[in-house]
Amino acid sequence: MLAMERIGALLGVFAFLMATIYGFWTNSTELGIEWVGVIGLILGGLLGFMITWYLGMTRRKLEVDPSDDPLGEIDEIQGDYGFFSPHSWWPLFLAAAAAVCFLGLAVGWWVFIIGAFFAVPALIGWTFEYWKGEHAL
């Protein structure tokens, strides 16, 4: 995480340096400073420093980060990936309904309503599939 902090700080310093250079460069023209680019670069620099600050605060809360250990193994970083149903058909139905909904945004609202009509039961079915039946928990 320390390397990522340094990258965020480097991004922030670079963006502030480029904002300064860009401001002087555009000020030399007859139109004056081009403020959109300068402000965009300043915001990019602030984003880099915000990333650095967040990663620094997170690193202080953790005991030892495996990515900072030169002898660390990759499997020390991995976390829990969650639970995935190997037999569930509900994600397929929900994806098809979502595709119809997105098609409805391009074609017309009546197609979106049809997609939503199919999406609600698919979402409810996927949410409650482990409450009863063969695979109940």
Side-chain angles (χ1 to χ4, degrees):
M1 200 172 298
L2 189 59
M4 291 186 282
E5 280 182 64
R6 290 180 181 159
I7 290 172
L10 183 66
L11 177 69
V13 169
F14 177 76
F16 277 128
L17 179 67
M18 288 298 112
T20 305
I21 292 171
Y22 188 75
F24 282 123
W25 191 327
T26 59
N27 195 23
S28 65
T29 63
E30 60 208 34
L31 299 174
I33 295 178
E34 198 272 311
W35 287 105
V36 174
V38 174
I39 291 174
L41 285 167
I42 289 171
L43 289 175
L46 290 174
L47 177 66
F49 288 126
M50 183 180 72
I51 291 169
T52 302
W53 173 80
Y54 173 76
L55 291 174
M57 296 300 291
T58 305
R59 185 175 50 87
R60 288 184 191 99
K61 291 179 184 176
L62 298 175
E63 293 179 15
V64 176
D65 186 26
S67 65
D68 291 335
D69 183 13
L71 300 175
E73 296 292 328
I74 291 176
D75 62 347
E76 294 175 1
I77 297 174
Q78 74 182 12
D80 184 23
Y81 290 122
F83 174 74
F84 300 98
S85 294
H87 58 81
S88 181
W89 285 88
W90 290 111
L92 180 66
F93 298 140
L94 187 60
V100 172
C101 285
F102 284 116
L103 178 68
L105 293 177
V107 174
W109 283 105
W110 62 274
V111 178
F112 181 86
I113 292 170
I114 292 171
F117 180 75
F118 288 112
V120 171
L123 183 62
I124 292 171
W126 194 16
T127 303
F128 295 114
E129 78 176 316
Y130 283 103
W131 281 37
K132 32 161 112 163
E134 179 183 346
H135 302 287
L137 294 178

